[in-house]
Amino acid sequence: MIQQIPWLYTPVRTVLAIWNQFIKSEIPELSKCSVLMKERCRVEETIYNMQQTGPENLQVISDFDMTLTRFAYKGKRVPTTHNILDNRLLVDENCKKKIKKLLNTYYPIEIDARLSTEEKLPLMVEWWTKVHELLIEQKIRKNLLAQAVRESPSKLREGYKMFFDHLAEHHVPLLIFSAGIGDVLEEVIRQNHVFHPNVNIISNYMDFDHTGVLQAFKGQLIHTFNKREGALSHAAHLTELKGRQNVLLLGDSLGDLTMADGVSNVQNTLTIGFLNDQVEERKELYLNSFDIVLVKDETLEIPNAILKNILRTSRCSKRT
């Protein structure tokens, strides 16, 4: 007697449920308690669609400070690229105190869930402008930046080498979009030996005079909540990103969600938000904004697991 195959007679919705269950088993890391998703089925469908179109259609756009770098390590805050400059080689004690006071004043505003982006915007410009003015006053020397980075407790998230190397291996562009200091950011990546040719950076870069002394900052100020304008203005110049219609976006702020606005003809976008601080106050807002929310997760385990799934078609094609 020929046995009937039950799933051939199963309604479409049930088949989709079975398929979704199969996808879940493909990325078990998504079941961790630190991983929150409002629409898990949509997340899994997006990952599947990205996987089907392969690495040649993928680009990754990421924030840097508190996204690719840790938020905290052994109970202490990890310095941002601005904070790395709080080094005796570069700035005096009075400047350090002023920068810390600005941080304590403006950072609570940046993460305040009760305030709108429009309310925060002028205050973020005010914060970054004041910090940059203080740094210019210090006449920072370019040749001391590398030593300041070496002496800092800055740390990329656990799993960073796999993240950077995997993208480079599969020729997937990584666009790092940062409101930090581009010169310092580059040095952090370089000293961790992951500054590959596929990495592009949009950030606030220092302008040094002919003697190597900081005299200004180049171009338009980039802060947490104006990344959309930066994305649109830089998109046309990054030809290596053209034709890549799948975007994996990583950030720790709602302002980071606009980093992909310069990408044309997007087919699939998956956003991952690192919720590092004030979890209960901001959890609902992040869940309504990011596809995946990672709560107090100091690793890149989830992005790495997703990339492993998306990029596996490339490995299969190499074997055939």
Side-chain angles (χ1 to χ4, degrees):
M1 178 179 177
I2 299 175
Q3 295 289 327
Q4 290 185 343
I5 303 174
W7 64 267
L8 290 177
Y9 301 91
T10 307
V12 172
R13 287 182 179 273
T14 307
V15 171
L16 289 174
I18 293 171
W19 174 246
N20 284 331
Q21 188 60 43
F22 173 73
I23 295 295
K24 289 178 187 178
S25 67
E26 288 286 291
I27 311 180
E29 291 87 352
L30 290 178
S31 297
K32 290 180 61 178
C33 60
S34 60
V35 180
L36 305 179
M37 290 174 279
K38 188 172 182 179
E39 298 182 59
R40 178 162 186 156
C41 288
R42 200 196 76 78
V43 167
E44 291 164 348
E45 182 182 358
T46 302
I47 293 172
Y48 173 72
N49 290 337
M50 288 181 166
Q51 192 257 357
Q52 290 301 295
T53 53
E56 62 275 9
N57 288 308
L58 177 66
Q59 60 175 293
V60 178
I61 302 177
S62 180
D63 174 49
F64 189 74
D65 289 317
M66 297 180 284
T67 296
L68 293 181
T69 64
R70 292 174 181 261
F71 176 77
Y73 181 68
K74 293 184 177 179
K76 292 185 178 180
R77 284 287 302 271
V78 170
T80 65
T81 51
H82 278 97
N83 299 141
I84 288 173
L85 297 177
D86 298 349
N87 183 293
R88 57 184 172 75
L89 294 169
L90 305 176
V91 301
D92 60 33
E93 198 61 34
N94 186 44
C95 180
K96 287 176 67 174
K97 288 179 181 178
K98 288 180 178 179
I99 290 175
K100 187 173 182 180
K101 184 178 180 180
L102 290 171
L103 174 68
N104 293 337
T105 300
Y106 290 99
Y107 177 68
I109 296 172
E110 179 187 341
I111 65 173
D112 192 336
R114 298 166 300 178
L115 298 176
S116 67
T117 298
E118 289 71 24
E119 290 173 301
K120 294 177 182 181
L121 196 60
L123 297 171
M124 295 301 101
V125 172
E126 190 174 280
W127 179 15
W128 263 260
T129 301
K130 287 179 178 178
V131 170
H132 287 183
E133 288 173 350
L134 285 170
L135 294 174
I136 293 167
E137 288 175 5
Q138 294 296 297
K139 300 187 182 301
I140 290 173
R141 299 198 63 83
K142 184 177 183 178
N143 62 354
L144 296 176
L145 289 180
Q147 185 177 345
V149 170
R150 278 194 297 272
E151 292 181 359
S152 79
S154 175
K155 289 186 178 294
L156 294 172
R157 289 183 185 269
E158 182 181 334
Y160 75 88
K161 184 166 176 53
M162 179 185 294
F163 178 81
F164 280 88
D165 290 354
H166 203 190
L167 292 175
E169 177 190 348
H170 293 278
H171 308 290
V172 175
L174 169 59
L175 174 60
I176 298 176
F177 209 139
S178 174
I181 307 293
D183 310 78
V184 178
L185 187 163
E186 285 193 9
E187 192 60 38
V188 171
I189 299 174
R190 190 175 292 111
Q191 291 187 17
N192 281 281
H193 310 291
V194 288
F195 204 151
H196 302 305
N198 66 314
V199 176
N200 296 280
I201 298 169
I202 298 173
S203 188
N204 297 301
Y205 277 90
M206 295 174 164
D207 187 9
F208 297 94
D209 65 18
H210 69 282
T211 66
V213 174
L214 176 64
Q215 61 178 355
F217 278 82
K218 299 176 182 177
Q220 177 190 0
L221 173 69
I222 298 174
H223 57 78
T224 307
F225 295 105
N226 75 337
K227 290 186 175 181
R228 182 178 186 276
E229 288 76 8
L232 293 172
S233 64
H234 285 82
H237 305 295
L238 297 173
T239 55
E240 60 269 47
L241 304 183
K242 291 183 178 179
R244 292 179 177 266
Q245 299 173 326
N246 293 333
V247 178
L248 178 64
L249 184 147
L250 283 65
D252 73 300
S253 164
L254 297 183
D256 293 331
L257 289 165
T258 64
M259 294 188 297
D261 285 5
V263 182
S264 58
N265 302 317
V266 175
Q267 296 295 318
N268 299 285
T269 302
L270 186 69
T271 60
I272 300 177
F274 288 88
L275 183 50
N276 300 308
D277 200 11
Q278 292 193 354
V279 172
E280 291 308 316
E281 296 90 336
R282 300 194 290 165
K283 185 189 295 183
E284 184 176 356
L285 187 57
Y286 271 55
L287 273 171
N288 289 331
S289 304
F290 289 95
D291 298 315
I292 300 173
V293 177
L294 304 180
V295 178
K296 290 187 175 293
D297 183 346
E298 295 291 354
T299 76
L300 289 169
E301 180 183 14
I302 299 305
N304 281 338
I306 291 171
L307 285 170
K308 183 179 178 182
N309 184 280
I310 293 172
L311 300 177
R312 66 180 181 176
T313 51
S314 179
R315 293 194 297 274
C316 293
S317 61
K318 285 180 183 178
R319 287 197 295 266
T320 57

